[in-house]
Amino acid sequence: MTRSTRERIIDEALRLFAERGYSATSVAEIEAASGLSPGAGGLYRHFKSKYEVLAAAMNEHAARTRTQIAEALTEMSAVDPSVDIEERLAHLCKAGLAKVREESELTRVFFRDLSQFPELVAIVREGLLQPMFDAITTWFRAQPEYAGADLDWPGIGAVLGGAVVHYRLFQEIVGEPPGRAERDRFVASWVRLALGLLPRPAVQAIG
């Protein structure tokens, strides 16, 4: 089994699941999209079933997300603290938007098909969604400007992270951003709200 073939099957299956739905996608269609002979059983050399392909996609995206978040937090913690807090906040928001966009196919499958697979919902929840919210909480707690803020950071992470997720989902489902606010306006508004969480002396110093 070559890794490239396995990855191709997962990628093409997820794309087809996102476009057509899990039930409407056949194994033969996945094989054809993956460059295998449709109906010849090539998929079964790598996976026991179509469900196993779906589960592998969820697990691998979750594992990749955990790695990406760890790397991103390390990278952001190395940013020179002299960089303006506004710039650091904007970077955090843009990174979140990029991550949600990267997972657009998985997101479509999640909302359309995963209710029938609660064990896979748990993988997405614990492997992709919760780590993103936890990363926002970790980031804010690490910023010196917020050191004196007595706030419910997990709750703040849910609100700010939820706004990022909602922005991308609304854009994909409706075809335009919520409130017709293009990305730069959304980021600027997100940053402004986050600045409002600063302890009063820090707010006055920035102003």
Side-chain angles (χ1 to χ4, degrees), residues 27-141:
V27 168
E29 287 171 330
I30 296 171
E31 289 173 332
S34 304
L36 302 172
S37 298
L43 180 144
Y44 296 109
R45 297 191 186 97
H46 306 279
F47 300 95
K48 294 178 182 178
S49 63
K50 183 172 72 169
Y51 168 81
E52 191 172 280
V53 179
L54 176 63
M58 301 300 114
N59 278 294
E60 295 200 5
H61 277 250
R64 184 176 69 190
T65 295
R66 286 191 290 269
T67 299
Q68 288 174 332
I69 288 175
E71 291 174 348
L73 286 174
T74 298
E75 176 187 334
M76 285 189 275
S77 67
V79 172
D80 188 337
S82 66
V83 174
D84 288 344
I85 184 63
E86 293 96 330
E87 186 175 338
R88 280 177 275 146
L89 284 164
H91 180 73
L92 177 66
C93 183
K94 290 174 183 177
L97 290 170
K99 177 58 183 173
V100 178
R101 181 173 184 173
E102 177 186 316
E103 300 295 350
S104 60
E105 291 179 344
L106 186 147
T107 301
R108 275 180 253 158
V109 175
F110 179 85
F111 283 105
R112 177 192 289 151
D113 297 303
L114 287 201
S115 60
Q116 60 186 306
F117 305 118
E119 70 282 5
L120 299 186
V121 171
I123 289 172
V124 174
R125 181 183 66 243
E126 300 303 323
L128 280 92
L129 299 176
Q130 193 57 48
M132 289 178 63
F133 294 130
D134 290 344
I136 292 175
T137 299
T138 299
W139 186 90
F140 273 98
R141 283 176 168 162

